């Protein structure tokens, strides 16, 4: 519980004809991490004499291609289906998302799965290909029509047929708009190129611009276009326009309506295909992903002409089961060996009680643990929600946060592991905010005494946040001392276990001695405390040099950092009280309107305050762990255990 799972390296040699069965069995159980030995074979001459690196199976490329095609079809049909979902559907799916009922499937070999995939994709594509092509054509046409409509609307002042302005053998026409000050010089500058031009102009959308059509000989077109670019001329594309602007606008709008109707019919057909085939495609995609992973893993093995060798990391408590799985899959045609690991190479698997597992996310976000260091997850599971509640200290806000956590847990948590964990964490945080709010006189600020003339019966007067904030500060600093000292003890244990006694004495134990000396000085006098204080300073100088004395101010700053618990506690209550005051003033001082305005101020004011303060409580609670607590002991590693596991969200093997 307080250390990562104990690991062993499992070496396996089996006959080539059983290798696929062994891989499939290990993959379904998901209790091992396959280690890459192919690189070692290439670099070690002794190994190279016995083994050669294995390769991914020849089916890998075909499976990858089918997987990409399946994902593409699902994404396309999913995007079409999403267009019909409104805000209400989105909220409903957030609160109560549909849970896919796992479908029983047969264990297929690679060739059979490829054949099945090709059959399903062929049937789906036969229905979607034509509709997808037509949809793309309509979208392309829609873009062109909208572009032409936009240009025509800018040129409505010109009652001309744009078909007559298309470039011919002798003339060219350029349409666009330009700044008014540049237009004033246009005729003069065009005259420097040629006298063979015509200019038609009209007011643009803004008074600072002018819409212009220039007709000139084709041989002057490039020079005129270059001049216009220098004059900040925005050119309109008129080469595809036919008819007068009013006709183009009318025809374009009618065509856009037709396109919209045609598109709606196609999308209706695609949604029907999606309803019919989505589940089948999700199952197929999962099967292909699993098969792809199985076929690729062979590239991590070594092989001879008739045998295959692989190495895997396995938790010690699962080692016997892993060996049994290999023996059963290979019909006892195998050799297995368990080996004590090198601590620097071991992938780390956190092993915590069920209640603490959601908090493993915090540890893994910071850094993977080192194999032999203390895992702080259980400690975080108790302290993090307490810190959150200390920062918030409002029972009403705590109830609201706990309800949000419950919605996440019962909603998205059913289909998303991270959201399930976050829901559990938020419920725990809400419970602590409720408890601490009830004893420190915080329930939606001062709601009960202000509006109901009732005092909370659960308040402990000595820690009433609005009456005795100094006691809250003392509590915060005391909690900080305990928190940091626990980190120092863990850090000293880690360093001693790793043989770093100097680091343990100079970075952790010295502060424990200094604190003990100060306590004895306060309660027992100089005779008891002074020797330990002197010893602590001597140790700082000996192990850390003169810079060790500077560490004293840094350590004091770390302790004082816990005063943020008081600051956030008071800010939550202060702003909540302000919202209540504004609510009361609005109701009492503004006739009629105040009765409507007051509830709005109350609801939205407290929602905003709760959101802001909850976010601050979460961030600062995490900071106190990452910066103040972890800094005392956390060593960190580089390898996280990645199980070779068939992730089945939509399927289950028929036994």
């Amino acid at each position: 519980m307080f250390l990562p799972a104990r690991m062993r390296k499992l070496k396996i040699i089996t006959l080539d004809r059983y290798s696929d069965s062994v891989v499939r069995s290990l993959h379904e159980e998901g209790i091992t991490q396959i280690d890459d030995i192919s690189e070692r074979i290439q670099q070690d001459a002794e190994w190279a004499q016995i083994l050669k690196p294995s390769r991914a199976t020849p089916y890998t490329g075909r499976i990858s291609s089918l997987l990409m095609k399946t994902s593409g079809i699902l994404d396309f049909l999913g995007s079409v289906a999403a267009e019909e979902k409104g805000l209400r559907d989105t909220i409903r799916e957030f609160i109560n998302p549909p849970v896919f009922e796992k479908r029983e499937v047969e264990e297929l070999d690679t060739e059979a799965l490829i054949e099945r995939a090709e059959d399903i994709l062929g049937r789906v594509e036969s229905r979607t290909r034509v509709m997808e092509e037509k949809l793309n054509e309509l979208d392309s046409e829609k873009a062109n029509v909208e572009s032409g409509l936009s240009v025509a609307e800018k040129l409505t002042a010109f009652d001309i047929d744009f078909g007559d302005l298309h470039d011919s053998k002798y003339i060219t026409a350029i349409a666009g708009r330009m700044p008014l000050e540049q237009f004033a010089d246009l005729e003069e500058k065009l005259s420097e190129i040629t006298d063979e031009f015509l200019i038609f102009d009209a007011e643009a959308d803004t008074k600072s611009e002018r819409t212009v059509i220039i007709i000139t000989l084709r041989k002057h077109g490039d020079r005129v276009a270059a001049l216009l670019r220098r004059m900040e001329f925005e050119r309109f594309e008129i080469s595809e326009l036919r008819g007068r602007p009013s006709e183009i606008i009318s025809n374009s709008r009618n065509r856009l309506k037709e396109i919209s109707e045609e598109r709606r019919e196609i999308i209706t057909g695609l949604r029907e295909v999606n309803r019919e085939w989505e589940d089948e495609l999700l199952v197929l995609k999962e099967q292909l992903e699993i098969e792809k992973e199985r076929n690729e893993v062979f590239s991590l093995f070594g092989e001879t002409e008739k045998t295959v060798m692989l190495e895997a990391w396995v938790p010690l408590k699962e080692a016997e089961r892993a060996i049994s799985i290999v023996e059963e899959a290979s019909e006892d045609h195998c050799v297995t060996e368990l080996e004590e690991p090198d601590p620097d190479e071991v992938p780390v698997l956190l092993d915590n009680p069920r209640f603490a597992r959601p908090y493993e996310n915090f540890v893994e976000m910071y850094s993977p643990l080192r194999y032999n260091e203390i895992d702080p997850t259980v400690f975080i599971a108790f302290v993090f929600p307490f810190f959150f509640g200390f920062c918030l200290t409002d029972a009403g806000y705590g109830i609201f946060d706990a309800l949000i956590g419950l919605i996440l847990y019962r909603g998205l948590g059913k289909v998303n592991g991270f959201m399930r964990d976050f829901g559990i964490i938020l419920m725990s945080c809400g419970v602590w905010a409720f408890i601490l709010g009830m004893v420190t006189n915080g329930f939606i600020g001062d709601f009960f005494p202000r509006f109901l003339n009732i005092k909370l019966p659960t308040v402990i007067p000595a820690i009433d946040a609005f009456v005795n904030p100094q006691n809250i500060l003392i509590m915060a600093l005391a909690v900080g001392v305990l928190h940091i000292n626990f980190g120092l003890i863990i850090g000293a244990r880690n360093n001693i276990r790793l043989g770093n006694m100097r680091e343990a004495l100079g970075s952790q134990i010295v502060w424990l001695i200094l604190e003990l000396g100060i306590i004895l000085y306060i309660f027992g006098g100089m005779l008891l405390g002074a020797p330990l204080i002197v010893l602590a300073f001597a140790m700082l100088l000996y192990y850390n040099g003169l810079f060790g004395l500077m560490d004293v101010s840094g350590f004091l700053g770390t302790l004082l950092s816990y005063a943020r618990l008081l600051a956030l506690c008071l800010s939550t209550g202060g702003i909540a009280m302000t919202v209540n005051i504004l609510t009361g003033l609005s109701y009492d001082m503004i006739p009629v309107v105040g009765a409507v305005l007051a509830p709005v101020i109350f609801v939205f004011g407290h929602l905003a305050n709760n959101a802001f303060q909850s976010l601050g409580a979460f961030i600062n609670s995490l900071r106190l762990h990452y910066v103040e607590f972890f800094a005392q002991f956390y060593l960190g590693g580089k390898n996280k255990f990645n199980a070779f596991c068939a992730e089945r969200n939509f399927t289950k093997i028929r036994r």
Side-chain angles (χ1 to χ4, degrees):
M1 181 169 68
F2 295 108
L3 285 171
R6 301 296 86 191
M7 304 294 289
R8 293 292 183 268
K9 177 169 278 191
L10 175 61
K11 296 184 177 182
I12 303 167
I13 300 176
T14 186
L15 295 177
D16 180 62
R17 66 174 181 268
Y18 295 111
S19 59
D20 184 67
S21 176
V22 169
V23 166
R24 289 177 181 276
S25 298
L26 290 175
H27 200 214
E28 288 297 334
E29 292 298 326
I31 59 175
T32 61
Q33 173 183 314
I34 305 299
D35 198 25
D36 186 358
I37 65 172
S38 61
E39 187 175 341
R40 195 188 320 160
I41 295 170
Q42 294 172 352
Q43 296 176 353
D44 191 317
E46 186 176 345
W47 277 64
Q49 291 178 356
I50 306 170
L51 298 168
K52 63 179 180 180
S54 186
R55 296 180 181 179
T57 71
Y59 298 109
T60 305
R62 184 60 184 149
I63 293 171
S64 299
S65 175
L66 291 169
L67 178 59
M68 289 178 61
K69 186 179 290 187
T70 306
S71 299
I73 293 174
L74 274 170
D75 291 342
F76 172 64
L77 293 176
S79 65
V80 170
E83 292 183 16
E84 66 178 341
K85 292 181 180 178
L87 179 60
R88 183 181 299 177
D89 295 321
T90 303
I91 295 173
R92 187 185 298 116
E93 288 188 3
F94 179 84
I95 296 174
N96 187 28
V99 179
F100 192 97
E101 186 176 349
K102 289 187 178 183
R103 183 178 299 181
E104 280 195 354
V105 295
E106 294 182 6
E107 181 72 61
L108 301 176
D109 60 31
T110 307
E111 290 183 352
L113 179 59
I114 289 174
E115 185 178 342
R116 179 174 181 273
E118 289 175 340
D119 176 59
I120 292 174
L121 294 177
R123 283 190 282 168
V124 175
E125 285 186 319
S126 67
R127 296 181 60 183
T128 61
R129 186 183 297 111
V130 175
M131 288 189 282
E132 184 177 2
E133 290 174 356
K134 181 61 177 176
L135 198 61
N136 290 335
E137 290 175 5
L138 289 174
D139 287 342
S140 178
E141 183 183 357
K142 180 182 177 182
N144 292 333
V145 172
E146 287 176 340
S147 177
L149 175 61
S150 175
V151 172
E153 288 174 338
K154 295 171 184 174
L155 298 172
T156 51
F158 302 96
D159 187 23
I160 57 177
D161 187 336
F162 286 97
D164 298 334
L165 296 183
H166 292 171
D167 290 353
S168 68
K169 184 177 180 180
Y170 299 105
I171 66 166
T172 187
I174 302 174
R177 62 185 174 191
M178 63 193 306
L180 193 59
E181 60 271 17
Q182 296 284 1
F183 175 74
D185 301 328
L186 177 61
E187 186 171 351
E188 179 183 345
K189 292 187 177 181
L190 282 174
S191 298
E192 296 175 3
I193 298 174
T194 178
D195 294 330
E196 299 170 314
F197 63 85
L198 293 173
I199 299 177
F200 303 93
D201 66 288
E203 289 187 0
D205 296 336
T206 60
K207 294 182 178 180
S208 61
E209 293 182 319
R210 201 75 180 163
T211 303
V212 181
I213 296 177
I214 302 165
I215 302 174
T216 186
L217 294 180
R218 187 178 183 87
K219 63 182 180 180
H220 303 306
D222 291 342
R223 295 176 64 194
V224 169
L227 170 66
L228 292 173
R229 283 195 295 272
R230 294 195 297 272
M231 298 181 73
E232 302 176 42
F233 183 83
E234 180 188 347
R235 186 166 181 171
F236 301 154
E237 183 55 58
I238 61 173
S239 62
E240 300 297 325
L241 299 184
R242 299 286 187 278
R244 300 178 184 280
S246 58
E247 297 171 352
I248 295 171
I249 292 171
S250 176
N251 293 336
S252 295
R253 288 174 177 168
N254 289 335
R255 181 55 187 152
L256 286 174
K257 290 179 182 178
E258 293 172 358
I259 290 173
S260 179
E261 188 60 36
E262 291 178 38
R263 196 174 185 279
R264 190 178 299 112
E265 291 177 4
I266 294 172
I267 288 176
T268 300
L270 288 171
R271 286 173 181 163
E272 181 62 34
V273 174
N274 184 63
R275 281 190 289 271
E276 183 180 342
W277 285 98
E278 182 182 25
D279 290 356
E280 193 72 43
L281 289 170
L282 287 171
V283 168
L284 177 62
K285 181 184 177 184
E286 182 170 274
Q287 288 180 291
L288 289 170
E289 287 174 337
I290 291 171
E291 196 65 30
K292 178 174 179 285
E293 190 172 0
R294 288 173 178 172
N295 280 263
E296 288 178 338
V297 80
F298 281 88
S299 64
L300 308 180
F301 301 168
E303 64 180 9
T304 65
E305 185 177 347
K306 294 185 178 180
T307 64
V308 170
M309 177 177 178
L310 62 146
E311 293 183 356
W313 294 103
V314 59
L316 179 59
K317 62 183 181 182
E318 301 284 4
E320 292 302 321
R321 184 155 72 98
I323 292 173
S324 175
I325 290 167
V326 172
E327 290 175 346
E328 182 179 347
S330 65
E331 298 178 359
D332 288 329
H333 293 82
C334 65
V335 176
T336 59
E337 179 185 349
L338 283 176
E339 185 179 276
E340 282 280 348
D342 179 349
D344 293 331
E345 296 180 358
V346 183
V348 172
L349 173 64
L350 301 185
D351 184 20
N352 290 290
R354 186 175 179 180
F355 77 89
R357 286 174 195 162
Y359 298 87
E360 291 177 354
N361 292 292
F362 293 157
V363 176
E364 291 173 348
M365 280 194 318
Y366 186 77
S367 166
L369 281 169
R370 188 175 290 188
Y371 180 60
N372 283 323
E373 71 172 311
I374 293 288
D375 177 3
T377 302
V378 172
F379 187 68
I380 295 174
F382 287 108
V383 178
F384 180 87
F386 172 75
F387 279 175
F388 182 97
F390 203 131
C391 291
L392 202 59
T393 51
D394 190 289
Y397 291 178
I399 292 172
F400 186 83
D401 287 350
L403 287 175
I404 295 295
L406 181 62
I407 290 171
L408 288 174
Y409 177 76
R410 298 288 297 271
L412 286 178
K414 292 190 294 187
V415 295
N416 185 293
F418 177 80
M419 297 307 291
R420 181 184 64 249
D421 291 344
F422 187 73
I424 292 171
I425 292 170
L426 199 53
M427 284 191 286
S428 301
C429 291
V431 168
W432 269 109
F434 174 81
I435 294 170
L436 294 177
M438 293 299 287
V439 299
T440 59
N441 197 21
F443 194 107
I444 315 180
D446 57 348
F447 177 82
F448 276 91
R450 180 174 297 276
F451 296 116
L452 302 178
N453 248 357
I454 298 173
K455 290 185 178 180
L456 289 174
T458 54
V459 175
I460 300 175
I463 55 173
D464 186 329
F466 297 111
V467 179
N468 296 305
Q470 70 278 5
N471 292 341
I472 303 291
L473 176 61
I474 293 171
M475 283 180 58
L477 295 178
V479 167
V481 170
L482 294 174
H483 197 226
I484 289 176
N485 282 346
F486 189 75
L488 291 172
I489 292 169
I490 295 174
R493 177 264 176 205
N494 284 339
N495 281 317
I496 292 171
R497 186 183 179 100
L498 295 172
N500 300 327
M501 182 59 72
R502 182 183 180 88
E503 182 70 17
L505 290 169
S507 297
Q508 284 103 22
I509 296 174
V510 62
W511 302 113
L512 297 173
I513 294 173
L514 179 60
E515 289 177 21
L516 180 60
I518 293 172
I519 292 172
L520 291 176
Y521 179 79
I522 293 172
F523 295 102
M526 182 177 293
L527 187 63
L528 291 176
L532 289 178
I533 295 174
V534 171
L535 174 62
F537 276 93
M539 290 174 66
L540 283 172
L541 286 170
Y542 180 76
Y543 290 112
N544 303 311
L546 292 175
F547 287 105
L549 297 178
M550 297 175 62
D551 290 340
V552 175
S553 61
F555 186 72
L556 180 62
T558 299
L559 289 175
L560 292 177
S561 182
Y562 287 81
R564 72 184 63 242
L565 296 172
L566 168 69
L568 289 161
C569 164
L570 295 180
S571 69
T572 303
I575 296 174
M577 188 185 297
T578 302
V579 173
N580 291 339
I581 291 171
L582 291 174
T583 300
L585 289 174
S586 300
Y587 185 81
D588 295 335
M589 301 182 66
I590 304 176
V592 184
V593 176
V596 177
L597 186 60
V600 174
I601 293 174
F602 182 83
V603 172
F604 286 98
H606 283 298
L607 283 176
N609 188 37
N610 184 33
F612 180 76
Q613 299 297 342
S614 295
L615 179 63
F618 193 92
I619 291 172
N620 282 281
S621 299
L622 202 57
R623 182 201 185 279
L624 287 173
H625 282 87
Y626 282 175
V627 179
E628 275 73 28
F629 182 54
F630 281 11
Q632 311 308 322
F633 68 92
Y634 207 100
L635 299 173
K638 57 183 180 180
N639 299 321
K640 179 183 173 183
F641 184 83
N642 293 309
F644 179 58
C645 178
E647 295 186 10
R648 294 192 178 275
N649 299 311
F650 305 109
T651 62
K652 56 184 178 181
I653 297 296
R654 184 180 294 124
R655 301 297 182 184

